[in-house]
Amino acid sequence: RTPDVIRRHLADYYGMISHLDEQIGRILTALDETGHAGDTPVIFASDNGLAIGSHGLMGKQNLYEHSQRVPLIVAGPGIARGESRALVYLYDLFPTVCNLAGVTVPEGVEGKSLVPVLRGRQDQVRDFLVGAYREFQRSIREPRWKLIECRVEGRRSTQLFDLESDPCELNNLADNPNSQQHRQRLEGLLKQSLLDACDPVRFW
């Protein structure tokens, strides 16, 4: 893929973003005009985006942040302004909407309500997130540290990133002697999480 091809893809992508932004503006304008802007929670979320050149990739078949992080904006009455670094899954939105609407969350729901974060009472509702891509990759992410395990054609590789100093995930610290405590901690958390989820794939 040449730089010109990537630029063309980026231009198309930005065009779609601009179109979506305009349609969201129509919804917000309608809320203003009908007098419901002050009593309506608005939630914006999306699917995973495309890599479009990041890490030399084009699609979303990976566990890097540029494909795992998705937009999530929640605004409305009683919701604190500002940016949160809370770790969330999109399925946390279901109990969140129930709480915002005053509806009881059904039993068996695995998501965690984000209302404590939205109201400014807590910084986090989760300590870590686990990710998966088919049988090839598994990951675990804390607020600062992230581990990615890859297994392709019998070969296993490990990546460890300090997202605070390396948000673009370019410096693999998996073999760095100073980072082994983080690697071991995350490997343990990931193993246990996969067992708890009855993941059929065994990386170890």
Side-chain angles (χ1 to χ4, degrees):
R1 299 183 181 98
T2 66
D4 285 342
V5 169
I6 297 298
R7 279 193 286 270
R8 181 68 260 169
H9 280 292
L10 284 171
D12 292 341
Y13 202 57
Y14 292 151
M16 289 188 288
I17 292 172
S18 297
H19 174 72
L20 181 61
D21 187 58
E22 183 176 349
Q23 307 317 309
I24 294 169
R26 294 174 61 197
I27 295 173
L28 299 180
T29 297
L31 288 174
D32 282 332
E33 292 176 347
T34 57
H36 288 292
D39 59 19
T40 305
V42 175
I43 299 175
F44 173 81
S46 91
D47 186 12
N48 305 67
L50 302 176
I52 311 185
S54 298
H55 288 94
L57 304 170
M58 285 297 293
K60 58 181 76 175
Q61 301 87 352
N62 65 86
L63 298 180
Y64 292 118
E65 290 295 286
H66 55 70
S67 291
Q68 289 297 291
R69 293 184 66 181
V70 300
L72 177 57
I73 300 172
V74 185
I79 296 174
R81 290 177 175 269
E83 182 177 342
S84 169
R85 297 179 62 83
L87 301 175
V88 305
Y89 293 109
L90 285 181
Y91 63 77
D92 292 329
L93 288 178
F94 178 62
T96 302
V97 171
C98 288
N99 284 171
L100 290 174
V103 176
T104 301
V105 179
E107 291 185 15
V109 170
E110 295 182 4
K112 295 187 177 184
S113 173
L114 305 178
V115 167
V117 175
L118 300 178
R119 302 289 193 216
R121 298 194 299 264
Q122 293 178 209
D123 292 330
Q124 297 274 4
V125 294
R126 296 183 179 277
D127 295 324
F128 59 85
L129 301 176
V130 174
Y133 171 61
R134 295 180 56 184
E135 70 272 25
F136 303 120
Q137 300 176 32
R138 298 293 183 270
S139 71
I140 186 162
R141 184 206 195 283
E142 295 178 327
R144 177 173 178 177
W145 292 90
K146 180 175 178 180
L147 181 88
I148 301 176
E149 293 285 354
C150 302
R151 191 182 68 176
V152 180
E153 296 180 351
R155 296 178 58 187
R156 182 173 151 236
S157 61
T158 302
Q159 295 176 301
L160 176 69
F161 301 105
D162 179 351
L163 298 177
E164 187 175 285
S165 62
D166 180 28
C168 294
E169 298 167 292
L170 301 176
N171 184 21
N172 183 9
L173 301 174
D175 295 325
N176 187 316
N178 297 325
S179 303
Q180 292 312 295
Q181 60 174 331
H182 300 296
R183 175 175 177 171
Q184 292 169 10
R185 182 187 72 259
L186 290 174
E187 283 180 340
L189 278 173
L190 181 58
K191 289 178 185 178
Q192 188 59 53
S193 298
L194 297 181
L195 286 173
D196 293 345
C198 300
D199 190 328
V201 179
R202 294 289 179 262
F203 275 79
W204 291 274

